[in-house]
Amino acid sequence: MIQRLKYLHLPEILKMKDGTPVTPENWAARQKELMTILQENLYGTFPEKTAKISAVEILHHEEIYHGTVDFTLYKVSLSFPTGIFALEIPLFVPKDVENPPCLISLGGGSRAFINRYAPGTPYFPPEYVFKRGIAVAYAPVMDATTDDADFSTGISAFIYPEGRNGKQGGKLAVWALTTSYVADFIEAD
């Protein structure tokens, strides 16, 4: 195992890039160095958040899950310098709970989510989540970008308008950014 680790040329965790030993005083700076190393060599750099968020309500039901939850489907538009990308975001909010915490679920398209997790289906645990005063939003990351090597469609085309280079984050970074935008929308709503 030690031979394998030497072969990988991994950086020494407790030495700064310039060789200075890490101390409690410079640990925050070393963490930044390590994050840069991980981004440049493993994950890719994270795309910047440049979009402005706006939303319109598409659909609203107040009496789902035995009248305990409000359901709203929003069209959330992300305005990038190079254009607009829109997502449908389903949001389930328990009634009579002011500013509930919100669980963000990730996955395929928003319409598939609505069909699969509609009231009465066995896949969504409404009693467990909603009775505890927790809201649920859905980030349709597969609507944002497909799970392949194509970065020219969906939100990827707006995040990487010049095309993606090898140092930039891949699909996980794009999905994380999409989820971050959904979280920003939920927090502002």
Side-chain angles (χ1 to χ4, degrees):
M1 179 61 113
I2 293 174
Q3 292 301 322
R4 286 185 186 170
L5 292 175
K6 286 180 183 179
Y7 171 76
L8 293 175
H9 305 288
L10 297 173
E12 290 190 43
I13 300 292
L14 297 177
K15 280 192 181 175
M16 300 292 290
K17 195 174 181 180
D18 66 3
T20 306
V22 172
T23 65
E25 293 75 30
N26 66 7
W27 175 242
R30 181 58 179 155
Q31 285 178 305
K32 287 181 183 177
E33 287 182 355
L34 292 171
M35 287 303 296
T36 300
I37 290 168
L38 287 172
Q39 286 181 340
E40 290 176 351
N41 296 288
L42 185 61
Y43 299 119
T45 56
F46 199 76
E48 287 186 47
K49 288 177 82 171
T50 59
K52 304 288 186 244
I53 303 170
S54 62
V56 295
E57 187 178 299
I58 298 174
L59 180 68
H60 184 79
H61 291 291
E62 293 185 6
E63 298 298 323
I64 68 167
Y65 293 110
H66 312 290
T68 62
V69 175
D70 284 342
F71 166 76
T72 307
L73 180 63
Y74 291 95
K75 179 180 179 182
V76 175
S77 296
L78 304 174
S79 299
F80 292 91
T82 55
I84 297 173
F85 185 79
L87 293 165
E88 291 183 349
I89 308 297
L91 177 62
F92 299 84
V93 180
K95 289 186 172 199
D96 304 324
V97 178
E98 190 173 325
N99 296 321
C102 185
L103 172 73
I104 300 177
S105 177
L106 312 178
S110 63
R111 294 294 172 160
F113 175 84
I114 292 168
N115 292 337
R116 182 173 178 135
Y117 299 109
T121 62
Y123 302 107
F124 196 65
E127 288 75 24
Y128 184 81
V129 175
F130 299 134
K131 283 186 178 180
R132 286 162 176 77
I134 300 171
V136 176
Y138 184 69
V141 294
M142 294 302 283
D143 283 352
T145 191
T146 54
D147 189 11
D148 56 26
D150 185 7
F151 287 85
S152 65
T153 62
I155 198 171
S156 297
F158 298 101
I159 295 170
Y160 303 125
E162 306 295 321
R164 178 181 165 265
N165 67 42
K167 294 276 186 186
Q168 293 171 316
K171 294 296 174 129
L172 290 176
V174 172
W175 293 336
L177 183 66
T178 301
T179 305
S180 179
Y181 280 123
V182 170
D184 290 346
F185 161 69
I186 300 290
E187 190 173 301
D189 184 41

